[in-house]
Amino acid sequence: MIAAELAERVRTISPDVVVSRDEVTAFVQPEALLGALAALRDDAELSFDALSSLTVVDWPDRVPRFWVAYELYSMTHRHRLRVKVGVPAEDPRVASVTPMFPTANWHEREAWDFFGVVFEGHPDLVRILLPDDWEGFPLRKTEELGGIDTRYQGAFIPPVDRRTT
Amino acid sequence: MPVERIEGFHSGKTDAEAEAEVKRGILLTTLDKAVNWSRKQSMWPVTFGLACCAIEMMSAGAGDYDLSRWGMELFRASPRQADLMIVAGRVSQKMAPVLRTVYDQMPEPKWVISMGVCASAGGMFTNYAIVQGVDTIVPVDIYVPGCPPKPEMLMYGILRLHEKVRTEGHFK
């Protein structure tokens, strides 16, 4: 199915669909996410039965600020679709899709780890790549750039560029 | 009486001459020199490759560059059998406690080479993820610059470390 046909078919489920560079993106409201994903999966023409990736984009100037992107793939028809959900900055919450796609488990943990987006209903939403006692979400655009203090056994040693001798 | 001590049996020397001969064969040295010499001649590095520097470190240990010329080609998988840690690569914040644990498990005396700019000062990774210099968590003896250092540079650092080991007090 070519991109235009795919977009037309997806519009029967979720109306807000954009085609850009042969990639189809559907914008969904957070409360409609699980229903839309289930419908996309169950539609015989589309059958998006695999979640190949889940990530978050931070747009500090936009409202809503965080955009969770679900990259879907159809094993049956071999076509792809991106579903995007906007999440407000003040209370970044979205429903977890782990019950539907088990592969989302670690992806959602990583997204929470770096962006602080809470996935409600996730079985074990704890940090996955950063140390357990980490404070903050380093991939947010508002985070400070550059090296951070080495925090180890009570010592705080600043990075090289901020050390004074 | 052993055969060697029978007067004139081998060489026709007298007892006094044989005694002088034996004395010439004795090497006198200090304990410092002897201990340090044995330490430097047979270092046991612990396996601690972290990133691309580890490839150069392995290359230094392999046939072309051949670290066994200095008696240290065998990288131990257990820190308890090692006395040298070559921190080869960038140390992530999550790896830092592991690195310190490995260092603590090594028996004294022990030395650390910080290999490459990432281990020495964070390098290009001036960000939240990487420890900005491994000397913030373990004491470092030799810093080898480079990104990554060639095996020759690592070998030069090792030779400088040998020099340090050779000249320090035996109770490190």
Side-chain angles (χ1 to χ4, degrees):
Chain A
M1 207 183 287
I2 64 168
E5 293 176 13
L6 184 64
E8 211 47 54
R9 184 77 190 181
V10 172
R11 278 196 189 96
T12 62
I13 293 166
S14 171
D16 191 1
V17 178
V18 174
V19 181
S20 168
R21 285 176 287 188
D22 286 340
E23 294 178 7
V24 186
T25 305
F27 292 89
V28 181
Q29 292 300 314
E31 55 275 10
L33 172 69
L34 291 183
L37 288 180
L40 289 167
R41 183 191 57 191
D42 296 338
D43 187 300
E45 291 280 308
L46 298 172
S47 76
F48 284 106
D49 45 13
L51 179 74
S52 53
S53 179
L54 184 163
T55 186
V56 180
V57 186
D58 178 12
W59 296 98
D61 302 331
R62 290 191 192 175
V63 179
R65 175 177 163 183
F66 297 108
W67 289 85
V68 186
Y70 301 83
E71 311 284 343
L72 297 173
Y73 180 67
S74 170
M75 294 281 186
T76 319
H77 303 301
R78 285 179 264 168
H79 52 212
R80 291 175 187 277
L81 172 71
R82 181 179 304 116
V83 175
K84 276 192 172 182
V85 180
V87 183
E90 53 274 15
D91 186 25
R93 284 174 186 280
V94 68
S96 169
V97 299
T98 304
M100 197 184 297
F101 300 110
T103 187
N105 188 326
W106 283 16
H107 285 130
E108 288 179 346
R109 280 176 66 186
E110 188 179 342
W112 182 81
D113 204 358
F114 286 115
F115 291 95
V117 174
V118 178
F119 294 88
E120 285 177 320
H122 189 284
D124 184 28
L125 196 64
V126 296
R127 290 198 182 274
I128 184 168
L129 290 173
L130 295 171
D132 294 337
D133 55 350
W134 195 272
E135 290 167 9
F137 304 103
L139 287 195
R140 286 186 176 182
K141 295 249 166 61
T142 46
E143 288 284 313
E144 196 180 342
L145 290 176
I148 62 157
D149 297 350
T150 299
R151 294 176 277 186
Y152 186 67
Q153 288 189 343
F156 285 84
I157 303 169
V160 177
D161 54 340
R162 273 185 266 141
R163 260 179 241 169
T164 52
T165 49
Chain B
M1 180 182 282
V3 174
E4 290 82 3
R5 298 303 302 274
I6 298 173
E7 203 170 313
F9 186 84
H10 286 298
S11 57
K13 282 178 181 152
T14 63
D15 211 339
E17 282 169 344
E19 198 68 34
E21 196 74 13
V22 167
K23 275 183 183 167
R24 274 216 295 281
I26 292 176
L27 182 68
L28 289 176
T29 181
T30 63
L31 183 62
D32 270 8
K33 278 185 183 165
V35 169
N36 287 340
W37 175 78
S38 65
R39 281 177 180 171
K40 113 173 158 56
Q41 284 301 104
S42 160
M43 283 202 152
W44 293 72
V46 64
T47 308
F48 214 90
L50 291 168
C52 30
C53 280
I55 303 297
E56 303 295 313
M57 183 176 72
M58 288 179 242
S59 173
D64 274 11
Y65 296 96
D66 197 4
L67 274 182
S68 65
R69 285 180 284 171
W70 298 286
M72 54 186 293
E73 79 279 14
L74 194 55
F75 285 79
R76 301 310 297 183
S78 163
R80 299 184 198 285
Q81 299 166 350
D83 57 2
L84 170 64
M85 183 159 74
I86 302 175
V87 183
R90 76 289 179 281
V91 184
S92 67
Q93 301 280 0
K94 204 165 183 175
M95 182 55 99
V98 181
L99 183 130
R100 179 69 203 197
T101 305
V102 169
Y103 178 79
D104 287 341
Q105 285 174 340
M106 288 161 60
E108 291 279 359
K110 52 191 170 187
W111 297 272
V112 177
I113 290 179
S114 167
M115 180 180 179
V117 66
C118 296
S120 301
M124 63 191 239
F125 301 106
T126 319
N127 61 24
Y128 62 92
I130 302 298
V131 171
Q132 303 294 299
V134 73
D135 52 1
T136 57
I137 46 175
V138 293
V140 175
D141 294 280
I142 301 285
Y143 298 86
V144 181
C147 184
K150 293 171 76 175
E152 288 96 328
M153 297 165 73
L154 177 64
M155 277 149 47
Y156 181 71
I158 288 169
L159 292 179
R160 293 306 299 262
L161 181 69
H162 282 174
E163 204 64 18
K164 180 176 179 175
V165 172
R166 197 172 62 77
T167 51
E168 72 187 359
H170 63 272
F171 294 115
K172 180 187 187 272

